[in-house]
Amino acid sequence: MAPILEVADLKKRAQSRVPKMFFDYADSGSWTESTYQANESDFSQIILRQRVAVDMTNRSLATTMIGQDVTMPLALSPVGFCGMQWADGEILAAQAAEEIGVPFTLSTMSICSIEDVAENTNKPFWFQLYVMRDKEFVGNLIDRAKAAGCSALVVTLDLQILGQRHKDLRNGLSAPPKFTPKHMWQIGTCPSWCMAMAKTKRRTFRNIVGHAKGVSNLSSLSAWTAEQFDPTLSWNDIEWIKERWGGPVILKGILDPEDARKAVDTGADAIIVSNHGGRQLDGAPSSIRGLPAIVDAVGDQIEVHVDGGIRSGQDILKALCLGAKGTYVGRPYLYGLGAQGKAGVARMFEILRTELDTTMALCGERRVTDLSRANLFSAFGERLN
Ligand SMILES: Cc1cc2nc3c(=O)[nH]c(=O)nc-3n(C[C@H](O)[C@H](O)[C@H](O)COP(=O)(O)O)c2cc1C
């Protein structure tokens, strides 16, 4: 079998092991997928500054994100349906993140529940909240995350309505999945995925079923999710969410400096510059292109993180140079899960860590906390050094 040297290798392996409809679900963006593609390709428009004959011993990738120690400035983004890439995917990814010493963020739309992940890990993880119309459910979700010991609440602001993803519609993928003969054929051709899935009891949205009013089975869940994302969500909602939660809050989905200023006014601890991995507003700028203006606008008032299109340690380093205090990956760990389960997520971490460390050294730096725009030759056509 071909060696796994980079994230693209994990992606190839995952594609051959995960049923098409679930692989496509991960590997899709909205409409033309232009923002999804730009998220990845825009990193090539940032050119690093090579430095030589600098002492490269005793390097360190350690830093903090929202005051919490991390062994490198990288967290796992919340992704829905993670447990459909591989059985118990959320638990496996959380365990791999815990072992390497970085945060795992559990999605509201996860297959494994908050309690499932808490029971199978030893350290606190982060919880991502979608603000639903049913505020009693949302309040209870916050309380459950608190009871499970979650150490940050990530509130997603960029999904009040769902961006259309053509691949999901073409595959007939619904939430929760309804299996047609075409799907059964796709599943049947992925025996290792099936075997792992046959051994778990976690196959539906366990944060929701049995917790939301009137949702006790798959068909009631389908109707509930279709109408629950709250189109009235506003900045005022952050106040009651913060009060109910009482811990660190990270606002996710900021792509515009004006919104970043509003986020600062809420008193949140951090923002994530993000376009939902190119799954919402197709035609919006890539996250990495949006980052510098946001750092310039609010970087001295709030911690700025970024996700979207990060596929290598070089990408992480470029984001840090442009002022991000932390970065996240979504699809790369889904590919890891689909390729090799927990070992694949661990492999992804190793790959990104080694690439980040080597790149940092070749830029003549020894600590990630020292990286800045001074380490860039140019960005988006503008000569910096
Ligand atoms: C399959 C998939 C499911 C996602 N589900 C969620 C979700 O439930 N909540 C959320 O806030 N973001 C969700 N996102 C967005 C990610 O948190 C993150 O912003 C994005 O994946 C980062 O881009 P990357 O995949 O290129 O690393 C999802 C992304 C993907 C690819």
Side-chain angles (χ1 to χ4, degrees):
M1 218 176 264
I4 292 179
L5 303 176
E6 55 181 338
V7 166
D9 297 327
L10 289 169
K11 181 175 178 177
K12 261 182 248 152
R13 185 84 61 95
Q15 190 160 19
S16 67
R17 290 168 62 97
V18 175
K20 183 175 184 311
M21 65 182 145
F22 295 125
F23 178 82
D24 280 357
Y25 170 72
D27 185 34
S28 61
S30 54
W31 303 102
T32 67
E33 300 193 338
S34 68
T35 296
Y36 172 27
Q37 285 156 18
N39 271 352
E40 294 184 2
S41 61
D42 275 359
F43 277 98
S44 67
Q45 294 196 42
I46 302 164
I47 312 297
L48 302 174
R49 192 170 165 206
Q50 173 179 303
R51 302 301 306 276
V52 295
V54 179
D55 180 359
M56 290 175 185
T57 53
N58 300 322
R59 294 186 302 280
S60 170
L61 301 180
T63 180
T64 57
M65 286 170 77
I66 55 159
Q68 300 178 16
D69 288 332
V70 291
T71 54
M72 61 178 152
L74 174 70
L76 297 187
S77 295
V79 293
F81 253 24
C82 192
M84 284 290 156
Q85 299 298 321
W86 203 258
D88 299 335
E90 291 90 357
I91 292 173
L92 302 180
Q95 289 173 342
E98 177 176 310
E99 282 166 25
I100 196 140
V102 303
F104 166 77
T105 317
L106 182 72
S107 164
T108 292
M109 303 306 290
S110 55
I111 299 295
C112 303
S113 67
I114 303 173
E115 294 78 10
D116 288 331
V117 176
E119 273 161 28
N120 288 283
T121 50
N122 300 308
K123 291 194 190 138
F125 55 96
W126 295 354
F127 181 68
Q128 175 263 330
L129 184 74
Y130 274 131
V131 183
M132 306 295 200
R133 287 177 200 254
D134 180 347
K135 295 296 178 291
E136 194 186 329
F137 170 75
V138 174
N140 289 339
L141 211 48
I142 295 172
D143 296 346
R144 286 167 62 197
K146 218 191 305 189
C150 292
S151 57
L153 189 71
V154 176
V155 183
T156 297
L157 300 176
D158 61 4
L159 202 137
Q160 288 169 266
I161 56 168
L162 199 64
Q164 179 167 312
R165 297 150 203 167
H166 294 329
K167 282 181 190 144
D168 291 347
L169 294 174
R170 292 197 174 106
N171 285 328
L173 186 72
S174 57
K178 288 190 200 117
F179 296 115
T180 64
K182 182 171 92 179
H183 297 141
M184 297 315 284
W185 166 256
Q186 288 178 12
I187 288 171
T189 53
C190 299
S192 47
W193 183 93
C194 286
M195 264 156 47
M197 207 52 91
K199 286 191 206 140
T200 183
K201 56 183 190 295
R202 303 180 185 100
R203 295 193 208 108
T204 186
F205 294 121
R206 287 164 65 92
N207 282 331
I208 298 171
V209 176
H211 296 281
K213 228 179 267 151
V215 183
S216 54
N217 58 29
L218 283 183
S219 62
S220 49
L221 171 61
S222 182
W224 188 88
T225 38
E227 57 135 40
Q228 271 296 327
F229 291 103
D230 187 355
T232 71
L233 171 68
S234 80
W235 293 103
N236 296 334
D237 285 298
I238 307 303
E239 200 177 318
W240 74 262
I241 291 171
K242 272 189 79 203
E243 207 175 300
R244 179 104 176 208
W245 167 245
V249 167
I250 303 174
L251 299 180
K252 176 172 185 281
I254 310 288
L255 201 58
D256 188 277
E258 204 48 50
D259 286 339
R261 287 190 196 97
K262 290 187 175 151
V264 170
D265 292 341
T266 66
D269 297 82
I271 54 174
I272 308 178
V273 176
S274 174
N275 49 37
H276 216 99
R279 296 162 77 79
Q280 287 295 100
L281 179 62
D282 187 38
S286 66
S287 302
I288 195 66
R289 203 176 264 272
L291 176 68
I294 291 178
V295 169
D296 291 344
V298 300
D300 55 350
Q301 299 164 68
I302 195 167
E303 216 167 273
V304 180
H305 302 170
V306 67
D307 78 10
I310 292 172
R311 299 292 176 267
S312 68
Q314 286 91 322
D315 293 345
I316 296 174
L317 181 129
K318 289 173 180 177
L320 299 175
C321 291
L322 288 177
K325 178 90 169 79
T327 66
Y328 300 68
V329 287
R331 294 179 185 87
Y333 87 88
L334 296 183
Y335 300 147
L337 269 179
Q340 298 180 321
K342 180 179 165 185
V345 184
R347 183 78 190 109
M348 179 217 65
F349 278 130
E350 264 171 50
I351 290 169
L352 296 184
R353 183 170 58 184
T354 305
E355 289 170 342
L356 173 60
D357 178 55
T358 306
T359 309
M360 182 175 78
L362 294 173
C363 285
E365 296 291 351
R366 294 194 297 180
R367 283 181 291 273
V368 273
T369 45
D370 290 341
L371 293 166
S372 72
R373 288 183 199 181
N375 297 107
L376 299 180
F377 175 80
S378 64
F380 309 116
E382 188 192 340
R383 180 82 193 251
L384 297 177
N385 289 290

